[in-house]
Amino acid sequence: MYALILVRYRRPLTEVETVTGAHRAYLDTLKKQGILLASGPLDPRFGGAWLVRVQDENPLADLDTLRDGDPFYQAGLANYELLPWNVMAGKDGLDRM
């Protein structure tokens, strides 16, 4: 199963930028593990979005763990919307990633 994580900053961008390096390092780790498929800031930059791979059983537990590991979350800089996604069109392409 896949999921979208929408991240919305709750603090000024200047504060967010102090943790951005650690946040990106965390995302790099998730990418290397095959969990993160795509991510990036929204435009305008008031947050970001992640496309992730999660388990079919209890995807919300995986999503909580992913959120809890993010330095933005740990520093209280962002809110998260965790959305399990049952992909229909394009699933074969995602499965190959």
Side-chain angles (χ1 to χ4, degrees):
M1 176 174 270
Y2 298 93
L4 299 170
I5 298 176
L6 300 179
V7 180
R8 292 184 179 89
Y9 303 144
R10 50 184 295 207
R11 305 295 306 150
L13 189 55
T14 54
E15 289 182 43
V16 170
E17 287 175 337
T18 65
V19 183
T20 297
H23 165 76
R24 288 184 179 156
Y26 175 65
L27 294 179
D28 285 344
T29 299
L30 296 178
K31 180 78 172 144
K32 289 175 185 166
Q33 293 173 352
I35 296 169
L36 179 69
L37 300 175
S39 67
L42 299 172
D43 186 15
R45 190 172 167 198
F46 61 87
W50 313 357
L51 173 59
V52 295
R53 187 176 278 125
V54 294
Q55 296 178 43
D56 289 342
E57 297 81 30
N58 201 1
L60 291 176
D62 284 352
L63 288 167
D64 285 345
T65 298
L66 293 171
R67 177 205 57 213
D68 293 352
D70 186 14
F72 284 167
Y73 181 78
Q74 294 168 356
L77 297 173
N79 291 323
Y80 295 72
E81 189 170 357
L82 309 173
L83 304 166
W85 185 23
N86 188 13
V87 176
M88 302 303 279
K91 185 176 183 309
D92 292 341
L94 289 175
D95 289 346
R96 287 191 297 272
M97 292 179 82

